[in-house]
């Protein structure tokens, strides 16, 4: 079984809809991250969490919110989706001493 | 702040050619350095890493040496294969930055048979 899973894998939605992307991990890591990937822009950090009670904004948090329901679960929400949020979204965890990251398979989101 | 700069792609090579993808970084502390690879339709996965100056990371024929004096971590492979076609990301993780990872923009590699 995969260590970091994401649901759904693909989602098409309309402008103004609320969307939730879910991430679960079995790595036992405290640190979890949400990234957005756009062509030619690499990965940009949306939110990160160093433990269940710690949530931090990344470089592009506007229009997004997160919830850390448990050590193993970290959800990303788009309260009112807009077309420029069309992208590939990745969840990741990190190893505590070296910072090595472990990625989920990604969610491809299309906002029409 | 910390940053990573890597060469723009795409890079197109013939099978068995030598590969170099340049990566330089700026960091206030002593970061760990990584190369991640993303195959089509998949998430990123670690290719190799180095945690201190002069360390050499290696995996699957790829190598990169942590050069503190030139703040570089260039990725090399002596003979690429079609299966190496992917996007490669250089990254750093700095304890001083709370172990957030900073990624380069990625370099797409195409290998032709």
């Amino acid at each position: 079984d995969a260590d970091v899973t994401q649901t759904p894998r693909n989602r098409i939605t309309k402008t103004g809809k609320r969307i939730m992307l879910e991430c679960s991990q079995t790595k036992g890591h405290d640190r979890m991250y949400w990234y957005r990937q756009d062509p030619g822009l690499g990965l940009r950090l949306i939110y990160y969490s160093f433990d269940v009670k710690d949530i931090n904004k990344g470089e592009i948090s506007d229009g997004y919110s997160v919830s850390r329901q448990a050590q193993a679960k970290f959800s990303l929400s788009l309260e009112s989706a807009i077309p420029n949020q069309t992208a590939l979204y990745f969840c990741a965890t990190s190893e505590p001493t070296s910072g090595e990251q472990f990625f989920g398979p990604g969610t491809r989101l299309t906002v029409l | 702040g910390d940053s990573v700069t890597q060469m723009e792609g795409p890079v197109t090579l013939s099978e068995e050619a030598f590969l170099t993808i340049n990566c330089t970084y700026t960091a206030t502390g002593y970061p760990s350095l990584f190369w991640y690879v993303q195959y089509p339709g998949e998430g990123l996965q670690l290719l190799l890493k180095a945690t201190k100056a002069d360390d050499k990371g290696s995996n699957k024929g790829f190598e990169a040496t942590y050069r503190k004096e030139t703040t570089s971590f260039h990725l090399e492979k002596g003979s690429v294969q079609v299966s190496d076609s992917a996007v490669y990301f250089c990254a750093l993780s700095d304890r001083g930055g709370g172990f957030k990872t900073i990624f380069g923009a990625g370099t797409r590699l195409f290998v032709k048979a």
Side-chain angles (χ1 to χ4, degrees):
Chain A
D1 287 342
D3 295 318
V4 183
T5 57
Q6 295 183 233
T7 56
R9 294 294 312 279
N10 289 283
R11 181 72 184 268
I12 300 173
T13 191
K14 295 182 178 180
T15 297
K17 294 292 188 181
R18 184 178 187 275
I19 297 297
M20 178 179 286
L21 309 183
E22 299 189 353
C23 176
S24 293
Q25 55 113 347
T26 58
K27 302 289 290 182
H29 291 158
D30 287 325
R31 300 180 179 203
M32 298 187 72
Y33 309 78
W34 275 104
Y35 294 94
R36 167 177 172 158
Q37 184 179 32
D38 297 278
L41 293 178
L43 276 77
R44 293 184 291 169
L45 183 62
I46 306 172
Y47 270 95
Y48 61 103
S49 170
F50 282 176
D51 65 40
V52 174
K53 297 180 181 179
D54 177 77
I55 302 289
N56 303 280
K57 293 182 177 180
E59 60 182 299
I60 56 162
S61 59
D62 287 349
Y64 302 94
S65 62
V66 291
S67 173
R68 184 80 183 268
Q69 301 95 323
Q71 186 201 43
K73 296 186 182 296
F74 192 35
S75 300
L76 176 72
S77 294
L78 288 69
E79 296 300 327
S80 180
I82 56 177
N84 76 359
Q85 292 177 312
T86 293
L88 192 53
Y89 291 86
F90 288 103
C91 175
T93 72
S94 70
E95 198 274 335
T97 53
S98 72
E100 177 184 345
Q101 300 225 328
F102 299 85
F103 285 83
T107 295
R108 186 169 296 281
L109 177 66
T110 302
V111 183
L112 302 176
Chain B
D2 295 354
S3 66
V4 175
T5 302
Q6 63 182 104
M7 65 187 286
E8 292 187 21
V11 174
T12 302
L13 297 173
S14 297
E15 212 166 19
E16 300 184 1
F18 185 86
L19 168 71
T20 300
I21 301 178
N22 290 335
C23 172
T24 58
Y25 68 91
T26 59
T28 53
Y30 299 94
S32 295
L33 301 176
F34 306 87
W35 278 100
Y36 289 87
V37 59
Q38 184 181 27
Y39 298 104
E42 299 183 11
L44 281 73
Q45 56 185 275
L46 181 70
L47 179 61
L48 54 84
K49 67 181 180 183
T51 58
K52 62 183 187 297
D54 299 325
D55 271 1
K56 177 186 284 188
S58 61
N59 186 26
K60 300 181 181 180
F62 291 89
E63 294 183 340
T65 300
Y66 189 141
R67 300 288 188 198
K68 190 171 186 296
E69 64 276 12
T70 54
T71 62
S72 64
F73 194 54
H74 304 321
L75 182 68
E76 297 182 336
K77 186 175 185 182
S79 176
V80 293
Q81 306 300 312
V82 172
S83 58
D84 294 326
S85 297
V87 181
Y88 293 82
F89 293 91
C90 185
L92 70 82
S93 179
D94 192 343
R95 184 189 299 273
F99 279 129
K100 287 183 295 179
T101 298
I102 307 298
F103 290 88
T107 302
R108 184 175 295 276
L109 171 66
F110 293 103
V111 181
K112 302 180 297 183

